[in-house]
Amino acid sequence: MYQFFTRLLDVIGVLAFGAFILSALSILYYLWVAAMYGWLGGWGIALALVGAPLAVVFPFTEWWMEGRFPEETFWIWAAGVLGVVVSMGRGFLPLSPDDGD
């Protein structure tokens, strides 16, 4: 009986977590569609439904609509790439001249 209730609580926990993630993503997607509608009107809704709020679509749309290039987005992207390179360490980037031998 104990295993049944443990399994039942596990399933309920997974479903509750899934519902939380789904609702959070739905809210973010709604905000994405609302921002695109505010910028482009009906065309913004069509673009938001077809394209996802990727790191390429959003900054260039913002640049086009606001007239200001969102360079902080690309600085954050560059910091992420640098973090990947640093975390890969010696397996990715030779750190001394004799590593290539």
Side-chain angles (χ1 to χ4, degrees):
M1 193 66 164
Y2 175 75
Q3 290 177 342
F4 171 75
F5 285 113
T6 303
R7 181 69 179 147
L8 181 66
L9 289 177
D10 286 344
V11 170
I12 291 173
V14 167
L15 290 176
F17 182 73
F20 170 74
I21 295 296
L22 184 63
S23 63
L25 290 176
S26 298
I27 291 170
L28 288 175
Y29 191 72
Y30 168 75
L31 293 174
W32 161 249
V33 172
M36 294 302 285
Y37 176 73
W39 282 339
L40 301 172
W43 288 106
I45 291 176
L47 180 63
L49 293 176
V50 172
L54 302 172
V56 175
V57 174
F58 183 76
F60 286 110
T61 306
E62 182 180 355
W63 185 17
W64 179 48
M65 294 307 298
E66 300 290 332
R68 178 185 131 332
F69 187 74
E71 65 183 50
E72 356 11 87
T73 303
F74 290 100
W75 281 113
I76 292 170
W77 172 79
V81 170
L82 180 64
V84 168
V85 170
V86 168
S87 70
M88 293 178 84
R90 294 178 61 104
F92 181 72
L93 193 63
L95 301 177
S96 65
D98 60 329
D99 280 345
D101 295 337

